[in-house]
Amino acid sequence: AESDDFGQHAAARGRPRPPEFSQLHAPQPASAMNIFRLTGDMLHLASIMLLVLKLHKSKSCVGVSCRMQEMYAMVFIFRYLDLFWSYISIYNTVMKLVFITTTVYLVWLMRCRTPICQTYERSSDSFQYEIYLLGPCLVLGLLCTEEYTFTDVLWSTSIWLESVAIVPQLVLLQSIHEVENLTSDFVGCMGGYRALYILNWVYRYFAEDYVNWVGWIGGLVQTGLYCDFFYYYAKS
């Protein structure tokens, strides 16, 4: 679900913007697939499916941050508004829909579905992202947007929001001092997906002369935050 893999703009000053953020017109081809991007997409998808499987199998969401899932739901909704007017490919459309619907479904499971919601640790999963992260990410989105349109500002905001979306999960893990195996697999897949996207950026920079400063900086911030999690992962 990276910013560049599903047809979002390059966010680089002076670079041409792709079709979905311009006026409505005929479908345009997506950027070329490579092994790093494809594997990263599959790891990201696997992480979400692992979490859905865990909740259904264990009937428990102990150790899982619902507030992180809420942040990811906002990331995907902000970023993929172009679903309403742009078509890139079947792969592109299906992946966008899957990421949005499964993430919203996870939030619903943890907040509303009995007996899973009865195990949700509301007192421990208490990081107030709406106070500490949402506002600053919106400000960065306004400062770093390519153009001051509604969709461009939301796209730019989603990059910064995704970069810190892991924070509620990290705070929860540090609070309960426990990492469940499948929860660790979930975040491990997320870390692997991020690492592969760094390789994807390097490959595209040399192979396609691709530049995306906003996505690169946000991605590096997100990757750095995973280091804290991997400390707990190694100890579990």
Side-chain angles (χ1 to χ4, degrees):
E2 186 55 38
S3 58
D4 57 287
D5 56 318
F6 293 141
Q8 303 300 324
H9 64 47
R13 303 302 177 187
R15 302 277 298 188
R17 300 166 71 239
E20 64 269 31
F21 283 108
S22 48
Q23 298 299 320
L24 294 175
H25 47 61
Q28 299 289 328
S31 60
M33 180 68 71
N34 63 68
I35 188 62
F36 305 115
R37 171 184 159 184
L38 179 61
T39 309
D41 286 352
M42 294 303 105
L43 274 179
H44 198 175
L45 183 61
S47 70
I48 297 176
M49 295 308 173
L50 279 169
L51 191 53
V52 171
L53 178 63
K54 176 201 181 299
L55 298 188
H56 278 287
K57 185 176 181 179
S58 67
K59 308 298 182 185
S60 169
C61 62
V62 173
V64 180
S65 173
C66 182
R67 297 183 71 76
M68 179 183 73
Q69 297 304 320
E70 291 169 359
M71 291 187 69
Y72 270 110
M74 286 189 286
V75 166
F76 297 142
I77 292 170
F78 287 1
R79 188 174 298 168
Y80 301 147
L81 285 177
D82 64 320
L83 276 169
F84 291 105
W85 62 81
S86 173
Y87 175 79
I88 304 295
S89 68
I90 291 293
Y91 174 84
N92 183 286
T93 300
V94 169
M95 292 293 279
K96 288 179 179 180
L97 289 172
V98 167
F99 280 121
I100 292 173
T101 55
T102 53
T103 307
V104 172
Y105 179 63
L106 281 168
V107 173
W108 177 78
L109 284 177
M110 287 185 273
R111 290 286 187 184
C112 306
R113 179 66 182 271
T114 305
I116 297 173
C117 66
Q118 296 172 335
T119 66
Y120 175 51
E121 301 171 312
R122 288 174 172 80
S123 60
S124 298
D125 189 24
S126 58
F127 183 80
Q128 296 178 301
Y129 65 80
E130 61 272 28
I131 295 177
Y132 299 110
L133 298 178
L134 196 56
C137 287
L138 179 58
V139 171
L140 285 171
L142 287 167
L143 292 175
C144 299
T145 187
E146 179 74 11
E147 295 184 9
Y148 286 96
T149 63
F150 182 68
T151 51
D152 274 35
V153 170
L154 286 184
W155 181 89
S156 184
T157 299
S158 78
I159 297 299
W160 301 111
L161 202 58
E162 184 181 21
S163 73
V164 292
I166 191 68
V167 170
Q169 182 71 65
L170 293 175
V171 171
L172 176 60
L173 292 178
Q174 293 172 5
S175 173
I176 64 176
H177 301 291
E178 179 181 351
V179 181
E180 296 185 8
N181 288 333
L182 198 52
T183 304
S184 301
D185 291 342
F186 161 73
V187 185
C189 282
M190 293 289 285
Y193 127 79
R194 174 52 59 188
L196 283 164
Y197 262 94
I198 291 178
L199 294 176
N200 173 58
W201 295 336
V202 173
Y203 172 82
R204 293 189 65 189
Y205 176 78
F206 287 104
E208 305 173 15
D209 194 27
Y210 175 79
V211 177
N212 181 353
W213 288 109
V214 173
W216 290 352
I217 295 171
L220 290 174
V221 170
Q222 184 180 11
T223 303
L225 288 173
Y226 276 105
C227 294
D228 192 35
F229 168 80
F230 288 132
Y231 171 75
Y232 290 96
Y233 184 83
K235 289 178 63 177
S236 65

